[in-house]
Amino acid sequence: MAHINSVRRLREHELQFSKKEFKARGAALKRCSECMLEERECICGSVTPVPTEIAVCMLMYHAEYYKPSNTGQLICEVVPDNYAFRWHRTELEESLKALIESEAWYPIIVFVHDAADPDRQIHNIPVQAELNGKRPLLIFLDGTWRQAKKMFIKSPYLDQFPVLQLSGFNKGSYQLRESYHEHHLSTVEVAFELFRQNGELELGDTLEQLFNNFRTAYQVHKR
């Protein structure tokens, strides 16, 4: 079965209903319709998805899936079981509700921020014996840091789930957007560090390789 990148499919879906064209920096470039890089810098097919028990769900702030600088798409490119949804302030999409309530998954929020209640914080993905046959589903809040905090606070349907923290990290090397704080990492940097810290070394290394390829290609035409 062909690999599906859910962020890219979400972008296609939302484009059908968009009434206004999204104009990102470098809008005049001729971009790959999948990875959104300039066509000559396309990185599609540069890595192979890595088998893993972990699944990911990208909960995306409005228009984040349109941005060429988005790194959530990279996570979905290496994790076979991936999902993506647009975040809504006042409603829970039925397909997202079905996912987080499914007996197949153990949802875990990825939110590396001090806004998370200490009682909800965990520092490792529970081992298989603790999951009662379920598989870990990592839910990433994908947007700017301010947007991610807003999503975390204003999504009551996520309040029941533990919040996975990242330990011992330094300032990220994303450099594609301005960061408000020195310790802020991009979504993909958080992901590959978490994968490594939880024993998914091949997954983490593959994702970092893809990120490095993406960052290099993006910066060639950054304006």
Side-chain angles (χ1 to χ4, degrees):
M1 181 181 297
H3 179 72
I4 295 175
N5 187 311
S6 295
V7 170
R8 297 173 185 175
R9 301 294 77 80
L10 175 63
R11 183 173 67 232
E12 290 178 357
H13 177 268
E14 291 296 321
L15 277 171
Q16 299 177 62
F17 307 99
S18 179
K19 297 180 180 179
K20 183 179 179 181
E21 184 180 2
F22 179 80
K23 291 287 187 180
R25 177 180 295 177
L29 293 176
K30 191 171 183 180
R31 298 184 181 277
C32 169
S33 62
E34 291 291 309
C35 69
M36 297 290 285
L37 293 170
E38 200 275 339
E39 284 187 342
R40 291 169 296 181
E41 307 297 334
C42 172
I43 59 170
C44 294
S46 61
V47 298
T48 302
V50 178
T52 175
E53 284 296 302
I54 295 173
V56 297
C57 174
M58 313 306 299
L59 190 55
M60 310 189 78
Y61 203 82
H62 175 58
E64 183 63 33
Y65 34 80
Y66 292 139
K67 297 177 181 178
S69 57
N70 174 263
T71 61
Q73 62 162 326
L74 304 180
I75 302 171
C76 290
E77 192 66 5
V78 301
V79 179
D81 291 312
N82 63 85
Y83 306 87
F85 300 90
R86 175 181 170 179
W87 178 73
H88 295 275
R89 182 199 297 265
T90 58
E91 61 186 75
L92 175 59
E93 189 174 331
E94 282 300 318
S95 52
L96 173 57
K97 183 176 186 291
L99 180 69
I100 62 178
E101 293 181 354
S102 169
E103 288 299 313
W105 303 111
Y106 184 87
I108 300 170
I109 311 302
V110 177
F111 185 62
V112 187
H113 198 286
D114 56 11
D117 188 325
D119 291 340
R120 293 177 64 193
Q121 294 180 16
I122 60 174
H123 296 278
N124 295 287
I125 298 173
V127 297
Q128 212 52 38
E130 300 173 318
L131 297 181
N132 297 318
K134 296 184 177 183
R135 292 171 55 193
L137 174 69
L138 301 185
I139 302 176
F140 290 85
L141 308 180
D142 201 12
T144 66
W145 278 88
R146 286 181 177 177
Q147 291 167 348
K149 185 175 181 180
K150 178 180 177 180
M151 294 162 71
F152 183 78
I153 294 173
K154 296 182 178 295
S155 303
Y157 49 87
L158 300 180
D159 290 348
Q160 60 185 304
F161 302 129
V163 182
L164 183 60
Q165 299 293 295
L166 181 64
S167 59
F169 61 86
N170 299 311
K171 180 182 177 182
S173 57
Y174 184 36
Q175 299 172 346
L176 304 187
R177 301 182 192 168
E178 180 181 356
S179 177
Y180 289 101
H181 299 288
E182 286 293 303
H183 67 275
H184 283 177
L185 280 74
S186 65
T187 304
V188 71
E189 289 175 298
V190 169
F192 64 65
E193 290 296 346
L194 281 177
F195 291 150
R196 288 191 182 121
Q197 288 185 14
N198 286 273
E200 294 279 353
L201 301 183
E202 183 182 1
L203 186 59
D205 290 347
T206 301
L207 183 55
E208 183 176 19
Q209 175 191 334
L210 182 61
F211 168 60
N212 288 336
N213 294 345
F214 174 83
R215 183 182 58 192
T216 299
Y218 184 92
Q219 289 177 328
V220 169
H221 298 284
K222 185 179 179 182
R223 298 178 182 179

